[in-house]
Amino acid sequence: RHSLDTQRLEEAHAALRRQLEAAAATGAAMEEAQEAHRAKMQSLEAEAAQLGAKLTAQSAEAEVQAAELVARTQRVEEELQQAMDRSVALESHVERLEADRQQQEVEAKQLDRDQAHRVAELQKSLKLLEADKEALQC
């Protein structure tokens, strides 16, 4: 009976030792898994920081490009306004030139009429002078 109790105690002791070894192996596996998880998290954090820095740089570049685009747009708008102002000024100048041309035509027609009238008067005076000359010769 004593040896039976001893055998049972040894078997129980061996079973406990196996359970303890299994628990230790499980604990070691859990520690390895936790360490792998920590390493993975650190890697992901580093990748996130890298992506954040890249995004910040891209955002800054986009802001610079947007500012350049706004400046170019303003320059184009100013140039367009200047071109429109020049166009209006040229149009006004052309209108003044056309009005001057029309005025000169009116004045030229008036001069033509005045000259024709003067020629007619001179011809009339010439005829009178010729008539006087003939009268004096007779």
Side-chain angles (χ1 to χ4, degrees), residues 4-134:
L4 187 60
D5 286 343
T6 302
Q7 186 181 354
R8 282 186 192 153
L9 278 175
E10 286 175 359
E11 288 173 1
H13 188 262
L16 282 174
R17 187 176 295 125
R18 284 192 302 275
Q19 287 178 351
L20 183 60
E21 288 171 357
T26 301
M30 285 180 63
E31 279 185 33
E32 285 180 25
Q34 284 178 339
E35 190 57 38
H37 179 72
R38 268 190 235 106
K40 180 69 174 172
M41 289 302 292
Q42 287 175 344
S43 171
L44 289 174
E45 287 172 359
E47 190 177 335
Q50 200 174 24
L51 288 173
K54 186 176 180 181
L55 184 60
T56 299
Q58 288 175 343
S59 177
E61 185 178 337
E63 286 180 21
V64 168
Q65 289 175 348
E68 289 172 352
L69 183 59
V70 166
R72 274 196 308 259
T73 301
Q74 287 175 341
R75 280 194 304 273
V76 167
E77 287 175 349
E78 289 169 4
E79 289 172 6
L80 179 60
Q81 184 61 49
Q82 291 170 358
M84 289 170 55
D85 292 346
R86 284 191 302 270
S87 176
V88 168
L90 285 173
E91 201 172 304
S92 177
H93 184 65
V94 166
E95 288 172 0
R96 281 193 305 277
L97 288 174
E98 178 62 21
D100 289 349
R101 186 192 64 75
Q102 290 176 356
Q103 180 63 33
Q104 288 173 354
E105 278 183 14
V106 168
E107 290 172 2
K109 287 179 183 174
Q110 184 61 46
L111 285 173
D112 286 347
R113 284 193 296 273
D114 290 349
Q115 192 173 13
H117 181 69
R118 181 77 175 127
V119 166
E121 285 180 358
L122 288 174
Q123 286 174 342
K124 189 176 172 185
S125 295
L126 183 60
K127 285 181 184 176
L128 289 174
L129 285 174
E130 286 176 357
D132 286 347
K133 179 180 173 188
E134 285 177 23

